[in-house]
Amino acid sequence: MNKQEVQNRMLFPRKETRGRTRWWWYGCAVEKSELIRELDEIEKAGLGGVELQILYPLEADDEEKGIKNYDYLSPEYLELIRFAAEETEKRGMQFDLTLGSSWPFGGPFMPEELAGQNVLPFTIDVQGPCRFQQDLTTVIYGNVVGAVMGKMENARMLPETIVDIMDKVVDKHLFNWPWGTEIQEMDVPSGTHKIVLFVSSDKKMRVLKPLRGGDGLIVDHNRKESLRTFLAYAGDPIAEYVGEGRITNYFCDSIEVFGHNWTDILYEEFKKRRGYDLHPYIYALWGEIEGMTQQVRYDYQKTMAELTVENFFEELTAWCHEKGAKSRIQAHGTWGDVLKAYGAADIPEGETFSAFDRYEVNVIHRKLAVSAAHVYHKPVVSNESFTWLRFPRFVVSLENIKAAADSIFLDGINQIINHGYSYSRDEKEGTLAFYASSNINHTNTWWKYFDRIGLYINRVCDFMQRGTMPITTAVYLPQHDIWSEMPMADTHMCMKLDERLESACINGLHKAGYWFDFVNDDVLERWDEYPYDTLVLIECERIPVSSMEKIQEIAKKGGKILAAERLPEKSCGLIGYWRDSQRVEHIGREMKAKGEVCITKDKFESLQDALQSIKKPDVKISSHSDVIGYVHRKTDTEDIYFVSNISPEDYRENVRFHNQNRNFCVFDPMTGEEKEVHSWKKDGEDMEVTLTMEGFQSLIFVFADGMEEPVTVSKEQEEELLLDISKGWTLEVPEKEFRKEYESLKSWEQEPELAYYSGTGVYSCTFEISREQWEKIAEASRVMLKFAHVGETAEIYLNGMSVETLIKRPYRIDIRKALREGINEIRVHVTNLLINRMIDPEYPEPAAPKNIRQWPYATGSLEQCRKERLYNWREREMIKKPVASGLWGEIGIVKN
């Protein structure tokens, strides 16, 4: 491996590692000619494929405008999907499809008996002894799935007094028609008793935001026959119509189900898996049963967890394989073993929403997905990227997107899926923007420059998809504690893990240079198959006895065991709980006595110190580890490091690579050019490199046999201002017939004619380089053009030569090659953000008449949808005045 080979990879990255984009069609109201145009735009932007998601309608049918909404699974719907898949295939791009219309999976064909269930407890307090009966008609609504009575003492139900009273809960009839529910007369013994009914509500969750004809109940994520029913209607016809091989991946969006805490097969599966009948102990799922609450809750949660992994996640992947495709699944939101759920997919997918253009470990949506990919040997892990990157919409810049992508990469993701690209015929008629997206499509002002980001992502993913990550530290997930503590719920395992572990703890370990994987019992069972040499237990009080025995075995074989604050002392589940807990506690005492475990006083600095005492960090960022991070991948012949500074500041940094003493090279994937370092030296088994990382700069380091030495800075010089060119600029905006000369620059939104203008303005000026200045330039290593402020992108031409396009800070470029002695002419094409147009009081948001002759006939529901998900009232409410645009502040030419 040599520099030329690395540079060839950088300049010509593999097409299959390009980013992708979610592609929204609203109401399936699309035209084939526009689909072709948009696919061309997507390809030109450097994206390698689309993920189609067909959603709610936003426009009424309009023959004059060519707008026609098509029903879910209609012949036209199927034909348009096939057409898009064929056109994508012609371009050598990937076509993925979100099953169903919107999310979660479900639809009009989902029968109530197979739909996701929501069970709620209903309690009655009774003082015995007495005879008791009660009419519950119009009091409870739904099917009673469990009913018990027990004596209460100190707010706990006594287990020996519990009676199953399901036989007393019967239908109440009105004219021989089942009309309600009643509890038949029964004896209540002496004392305070509680009657508890668990009611499966008839008000079940429905699909969110679907296409016309796609509304309906959601699937039961715990039943195979429920998923297969959905797939038979929502999957098989599409797969058959489009043709095998044209759909690369079928996609499942995040598990956003609310109250889905029951399944009709629970009792049967619970007894089969846990070894006892749940009926008499069902109250423990909500209240307290003396001496067994957490054990029963664990058994319930563990059963539900196993069912959803087996019957939803694994079954979905099996169906995809039957159709000649792969599965790409977002598992966050599941109540299952989250690593198993992600790992069931061919491509686990994380997600990023909110202002995550910063360096911080994202446990909930990314770190767990990446760990699952490593644990279950999935080479690619993707990420829904840039969702809600800024709120409100239309204020996202390319700098924000680049920084957010780097944050995603630093969590180990190696495939980016934009969120996203809305089908939108003509932005002048009104942009059809998704309510939670960064509007990364042709309607955005900076879209013409997105190909720079597209190429950057392509290059980084090319390197990040090579080899594997040599991670040697594992953090055991305290999932058993969460299952034990949670009452009946659709437990969001990812969120609960994040809360329990705490971001300060996880970020502390990560930013100290210790990359780690989260692991589960599967990994402990097959420990020898993995490269881990250190196991860390955090906030772990309960553990299966078999896993505790495995931890002791790992320690005996020389593995390092660290436990924050304590070792587990309790087992899980009701059967054999006390016996197994004694065994867990005994193993812990034995390990401590033999020095087989290091127990730290906390999970923060103390844990970091303990880890540092037994192993070196893979990479040590000496001074700015709060904003500079790394990812390490290893192939048979090379070690690849992605190092990123997610801040606007330049930092001179010392980076120490552990166990690396081969030569290396450094490239900037944004420019494709080799990066100079200040110095480098081999220090025993380590390599120490000193370099300057510019604001928002990322670098690729490649260590390999046969590699030449890195390029070093020939001579470090202080920056010297050669010429201040802040004055004498002219701004022209042809679209607005605007021209103005400025003695002192100011941002253009201050001009009344340009206040709400979003687009491109052209700045121009001339300046003279004297003989004396030219001689200084000849001695300089670089001559930089520096801007104080750019709002938001700047395409720069000097003396007719295209120099560079600035899409992020620092706003400076090397102009030496284009500069000349004497008179120079500079032109700067500045493009601002879309938000200014979107808050313009004149921006079109025309209300439809209440009644029209075509669908939807009565427009009230469509107008409500547009107000909730399309119109810009939030933007106007949150952004009270136009944002700064154009150039302002000092502009200078400096040498160094």
Side-chain angles (χ1 to χ4, degrees), residues 12-46:
F12 308 104
R14 294 169 292 169
K15 191 170 183 178
E16 60 267 28
T17 66
R18 288 182 177 181
R20 314 282 194 264
T21 186
R22 187 171 294 182
W23 194 16
W24 292 291
W25 296 358
Y26 301 102
C28 202
V30 299
E31 297 174 340
K32 289 182 177 180
S33 60
E34 177 61 20
L35 296 181
I36 290 172
R37 187 180 80 87
E38 293 191 7
L39 283 171
D40 288 342
E41 289 279 351
I42 289 167
E43 183 181 26
K44 187 171 63 175

Side-chain angles (χ1 to χ4, degrees), residues 59-77:
E59 299 177 291
D61 289 352
D62 190 323
E63 189 172 342
E64 288 185 7
K65 293 183 178 179
I67 299 172
K68 174 66 175 175
N69 291 274
Y70 295 109
D71 285 5
Y72 179 52
L73 295 177
S74 65
E76 296 87 352
Y77 170 95

Side-chain angles (χ1 to χ4, degrees), residues 830-861:
V830 179
T831 300
N832 69 337
L833 295 176
L834 187 58
I835 185 65
N836 288 359
R837 182 195 308 165
M838 293 308 192
I839 63 172
D840 185 348
E842 302 300 318
Y843 185 79
E845 287 182 353
K850 291 183 179 180
N851 297 94
I852 54 178
R853 295 177 61 86
Q854 63 279 355
W855 185 89
Y857 310 111
T859 63
S861 61

Side-chain angles (χ1 to χ4, degrees), residues 273-288:
R273 296 165 188 260
R274 307 281 84 86
Y276 66 99
D277 186 5
L278 176 61
H279 281 88
Y281 306 114
I282 192 172
Y283 178 61
L285 305 188
W286 188 253
E288 294 283 336

Side-chain angles (χ1 to χ4, degrees), residues 809-823:
R809 288 170 286 178
Y811 298 131
R812 60 176 181 247
I813 55 167
D814 191 343
I815 58 171
R816 184 169 179 171
K817 291 181 180 179
L819 201 60
R820 63 192 180 202
E821 184 181 355
I823 301 300

